[in-house]
Amino acid sequence: MKPKKENEDFNRLQAGLKASGYRERDVTISSGKAMILGVVCALPFIIILGLLYRFLLIERAHLSEVGGLSFYIMFIAIIVISVVIHELLHGVGWAISSGQGWKVVRFNINAMMPSCACKVALEKKSYLIGVLAPFVVLGCGSILFVFVYPGTVSLLTMMVNFVAAGADLLIAFHVLKEGNCLIADHPTAAGYIAYYK
């Protein structure tokens, strides 16, 4: 029922923009492709920061035993907490950059994973603020966490946050290549629709 409502709202947004003379360009990718390309986008950050960790911080690192139930529980907890905060930061970014608050933000749960979408078309800069908020906040926060408290927990947290932001980096790269347009976040797919006049 909820996905149908999301699609109906998005269809109304599309129809309104088309009626105002906008033409659209679809820049969406499948979730699977977004995940793979997101990892590829995040890999340079993980490699560089991993090498810095290895050569500068390993001697004072608080290492946990890799394997065993407690390790997997910790790893799952890091993923769950990071993903929830990640999606919340998208919402905060769009709520602030749109100037319209939380009414333009929609939180969903698809396949037991939280997601966030912006319900209105935004200018490029405003859309990018919401897309890149998790990368900036969690990425910088994770790097700081690794340097302040190097160890298994902080290293895993950093890796999870950069991998989670990989698809956002990919989307941001595409947005930066767009001309003067409005960007409508797709409610269910990874990516957006660009609207040009």
Side-chain angles (χ1 to χ4, degrees):
M1 188 74 174
K2 201 172 180 186
K4 185 179 176 185
K5 170 90 166 76
E6 292 162 8
N7 289 328
E8 285 173 0
D9 290 345
F10 188 67
N11 290 341
R12 272 194 295 276
L13 174 65
Q14 284 182 302
L17 287 166
K18 286 179 184 176
S20 297
Y22 285 91
R23 67 185 195 286
E24 66 179 28
R25 194 170 86 81
D26 189 325
V27 189
T28 57
I29 55 176
S30 69
S31 297
K33 190 174 179 183
M35 198 176 295
I36 292 166
L37 292 174
V39 170
V40 171
C41 287
L43 214 49
F45 295 97
I46 292 170
I47 290 170
I48 291 167
L49 293 167
L51 288 171
L52 286 173
Y53 173 85
R54 172 66 183 93
F55 292 110
L56 298 177
L57 303 171
I58 196 74
E59 290 188 14
R60 62 184 184 93
H62 305 275
L63 301 174
S64 303
E65 185 180 328
V66 176
L69 184 61
S70 62
F71 172 81
Y72 292 108
I73 290 171
M74 173 188 68
F75 189 44
I76 290 168
I78 288 169
I79 292 171
V80 169
I81 292 167
S82 295
V83 168
V84 169
I85 295 172
H86 179 107
E87 297 304 328
L88 183 60
L89 285 168
H90 280 311
V92 169
W94 285 321
I96 292 170
S97 67
S98 70
Q100 300 178 54
W102 289 104
K103 67 182 178 182
V104 302
V105 176
R106 176 186 293 116
F107 292 101
N108 311 308
I109 296 191
N110 295 317
M112 294 180 60
M113 289 295 290
S115 66
C116 178
C118 185
K119 299 190 287 186
V120 297
L122 299 172
E123 293 180 357
K124 281 171 50 175
K125 182 181 174 184
S126 298
Y127 184 73
L128 281 170
I129 289 170
V131 169
L132 291 175
F135 174 76
V136 172
V137 175
L138 292 178
C140 293
S142 294
I143 293 169
L144 183 63
F145 185 28
V146 164
F147 276 88
V148 170
Y149 187 82
T152 307
V153 173
S154 57
L155 186 63
L156 286 174
T157 301
M158 182 182 70
M159 290 171 63
V160 165
N161 283 316
F162 275 101
V163 168
D168 298 335
L169 291 175
L170 179 67
I171 290 166
F173 176 73
H174 284 289
V175 171
L176 288 169
K177 293 193 299 183
E178 300 288 355
N180 187 22
C181 66
L182 292 175
I183 305 286
D185 195 40
H186 199 281
T188 55
Y192 61 89
I193 310 291
Y195 287 92
Y196 288 89
K197 265 202 171 172

